[in-house]
Structure formats: C-alpha cells, structure tokens
Amino acid sequence: MWVQYLLDTPLYKHYQIKIDTSFFNQNIPNISQNNIDYFSENIDIEESLTAQQQTLLWNEEKYLRLVPGEHNIPQSLLFDEHAEELSFPSIYLGQFRHFKDDVRVTPFIIASSELRRSDRREVTPYHLLYMAVKIMRLRVRDCLTIAFKHIGTDTKVTKEQIQSEEYINNCFESNLAFLRSIPNSLWYWAERKRDLFAMIRQLGKPTAFMTLSANEIGWPDLFKLLYTLAKGRQHTEEFISSELSFIEKSSLINNDAVECAIYFNKLVNVIVVSQLLRSNTNFIST
C-alpha cells in the first residue's frame, strides 16, 4: 500500500508521522445527481482537460481535522527544512535530500538542478509553482533584511527634509527597492524601463521592435522531445502528429513547462545570432 510504504521511509520515521488507516475505510454516502448539480459548475469537459483544470470537493465538517499545537511555535515554510519533501511524496518518496559536503547549496541551485534532470516528475505545474514562489519569498526576505536595517542613533532627520518631496521620494525608492525582485510589480517594471532607456542611450534609437511568442502546439520537434522525456521511448514525427490528440499534446506541454521554456529560449537565441550575422547594426534582445 502506498501509505504504508511512506510510513516506513526515513523522512516519515524522523518526524514520527502516523496515519489513521480507518479513515480510508469509512462509508462514503452516495451522491445523487441533484446534489452534484447543487454545488458543481457546468464546465465543458474538453475545455477543462485542455486547460488542465481540476476540481476539489471538500467538506470541512468531516474531513478538516487539525491537530492541537499547544506549546509549539508555528514555523514558516521558508524555514522548514523538509517542507518540500513532505509536500510532494510522489517525487521524493519519503527520502531526505543528500548533498556533497564541499558544496554550498542554495534553494536556487537545488531548483535548477532538479528541474533539468532526466526524471521529469519534478517539473509538474504544482511543484514548479511551489519552487518559484518559495524562491521569490526568499529573495524578498533577503532584500527586506537589507532595506529595513537598523538606523543608528546619530542619524538626524530635519523638518526641512520631512517637508521635502524629493527626500520622501528617495526614502520610498530606497526602502521599497526589495520589490524589484517580485516579477510584475511596479518597481520590477520600473527597473526594466530604466534598463531599456540605458540601452537606447548607449546604442541609439531602435529602428524596429519585434515581439516573439511561443507556439508549442505547432513545433513537431518539441513534441518528439516531450514525448521521449515523458514516455521514455521515441516515436517518429508522423506518429506524434497523427496519433496524438489535441488534449494529449496539451498535457505534454502543460506537464513540462521547463523544457518548453528552454526550447523557446534556444529558438530565440538562434534568431538573435542570425540577425547579428546578417547585419552590422546593433541588435538588442530583451
């Protein structure tokens, strides 16, 4: 049994995790069609599968069981050493991560290593989003530690400085600089804007802008690669284009966003290099 296997693993033994198997033997009442229509949303099944949407049915009165935590200090997921291994048992199988003694490991290095391995279980959308949010929060924490540092007693702020709009703007600019590490935030795009204007000042006015977007569903070579990584066997381009349905192709793309991003990045690099070789003008890629 899957649950029994996890209980015998080193990670679960270390935290003394126990599972009440009687929970799985409870009699589940039959749900009639009228009850389903009451709390369900009418979504077309084909669109739901294409978008990889899922539905979770949850009954708080019956299934939400919280263990009392008296005399315990809540611990953030950022500082929980094995939160990721416990959150994804299908990936780590209840085992500890092991690193070399002479290597300084950071969360970003761990994520980069795991996402590029031949075992593609770690690139599922759920795990990918977990790692992305975790790294973003760690960067925000590090920036906050620097931004909101202690101000010495000899620092004096005068009345004229408080009334100065320039001084207040500089305070906001310096103390909220940590937001640059959060994608799509105001400070993030302000930083990108300054970088763009700096390139224009150095290289001159651009003659054209080109925006590229990925079209994974129309790239046969990418599907051959995704199919090989997911299934462990190779097939011809004719087989993939004729035998795989649109939903199967969408699932391959959604389940390995990392490989799609790497493939698209290589295509963009080829376009940039070809443009540089054709002309002597400055070609900027952002």
Side-chain angles (χ1 to χ4, degrees):
M1 187 178 179
W2 170 250
V3 176
Q4 186 60 41
Y5 169 80
L6 290 177
L7 293 178
D8 296 333
T9 56
L11 185 62
Y12 280 65
K13 288 183 178 180
H14 175 76
Y15 286 97
Q16 300 179 358
I17 298 177
K18 305 296 181 181
I19 298 178
D20 185 7
T21 56
S22 62
F23 174 82
F24 301 99
N25 299 325
Q26 296 180 2
N27 294 325
I28 301 176
N30 295 327
I31 301 177
S32 62
Q33 184 64 35
N34 295 331
N35 293 334
I36 294 178
D37 295 337
Y38 176 74
F39 56 79
S40 64
E41 183 180 359
N42 187 15
I43 302 176
D44 185 73
I45 184 64
E46 185 174 354
E47 294 181 359
S48 178
L49 291 175
T50 303
Q52 298 292 298
Q53 296 179 356
Q54 299 184 16
T55 302
L56 174 65
L57 302 181
W58 188 265
N59 187 332
E60 294 186 359
E61 297 180 356
K62 186 173 182 180
Y63 297 108
L64 183 59
R65 301 179 180 180
L66 300 178
V67 178
E70 291 87 356
H71 308 293
N72 292 328
I73 300 176
Q75 188 176 18
S76 172
L77 291 177
L78 296 179
F79 306 102
D80 192 342
E81 184 179 1
H82 303 111
E84 192 168 347
E85 292 92 323
L86 293 172
S87 301
F88 299 93
S90 61
I91 297 177
Y92 300 99
L93 302 176
Q95 304 295 326
F96 291 97
R97 284 170 170 161
H98 298 284
F99 309 103
K100 296 182 179 179
D101 297 334
D102 56 343
V103 177
R104 181 179 178 272
V105 180
T106 63
F108 183 80
I109 293 177
I110 295 175
S112 300
S113 174
E114 293 182 350
L115 294 179
R116 299 186 180 187
R117 296 178 183 177
S118 58
D119 187 353
R120 308 310 292 171
R121 290 178 300 172
E122 299 177 359
V123 298
T124 56
Y126 321 105
H127 188 227
L128 192 63
L129 181 61
Y130 181 97
M131 290 190 296
V133 174
K134 177 182 177 180
I135 292 176
M136 183 188 69
R137 291 185 176 181
L138 287 172
R139 289 178 176 176
V140 171
R141 182 205 62 182
D142 296 339
C143 294
L144 283 173
T145 304
I146 300 174
F148 294 96
K149 60 183 179 180
H150 176 70
I151 300 178
T153 56
D154 56 343
T155 302
K156 297 181 180 180
V157 180
T158 62
K159 178 180 178 181
E160 288 74 13
Q161 289 177 321
I162 295 296
Q163 294 177 345
S164 173
E165 182 178 355
E166 181 180 359
Y167 176 79
I168 298 299
N169 291 334
N170 290 335
C171 290
F172 277 111
E173 184 69 23
S174 59
N175 291 330
L176 296 179
F178 70 93
L179 292 174
R180 297 172 184 171
S181 60
I182 303 179
N184 293 327
S185 65
L186 178 61
W187 269 257
Y188 174 86
W189 288 116
E191 185 72 12
R192 302 285 78 77
K193 179 181 177 181
R194 283 191 287 267
D195 293 341
L196 177 61
F197 285 173
M199 288 191 295
I200 293 176
R201 287 193 298 268
Q202 293 180 5
L203 304 175
K205 296 181 180 180
T207 55
F209 282 98
M210 180 172 59
T211 302
L212 302 177
S213 58
N215 181 28
E216 298 93 344
I217 204 69
W219 294 338
D221 292 336
L222 175 61
F223 277 112
K224 290 175 60 178
L225 178 60
L226 294 177
Y227 189 88
T228 302
L229 292 174
K231 306 298 182 181
R233 58 182 184 273
Q234 296 182 355
H235 268 294
T236 61
E237 181 178 328
E238 291 76 11
F239 171 84
I240 295 177
S241 59
S242 60
E243 297 296 331
L244 295 183
S245 63
F246 180 79
I247 295 178
E248 291 175 327
K249 293 180 180 179
S250 300
S251 299
L252 288 175
I253 295 173
N254 293 331
N255 290 333
D256 201 340
V258 175
E259 195 63 38
C260 294
I262 295 175
Y263 188 88
F264 179 65
N265 183 65
K266 291 184 179 296
L267 289 180
V268 173
N269 290 337
V270 170
I271 296 175
V272 172
V273 172
S274 63
Q275 291 294 329
L276 290 175
L277 294 177
R278 289 181 180 180
S279 62
N280 296 325
T281 58
N282 295 320
F283 187 83
I284 304 174
S285 174
T286 59

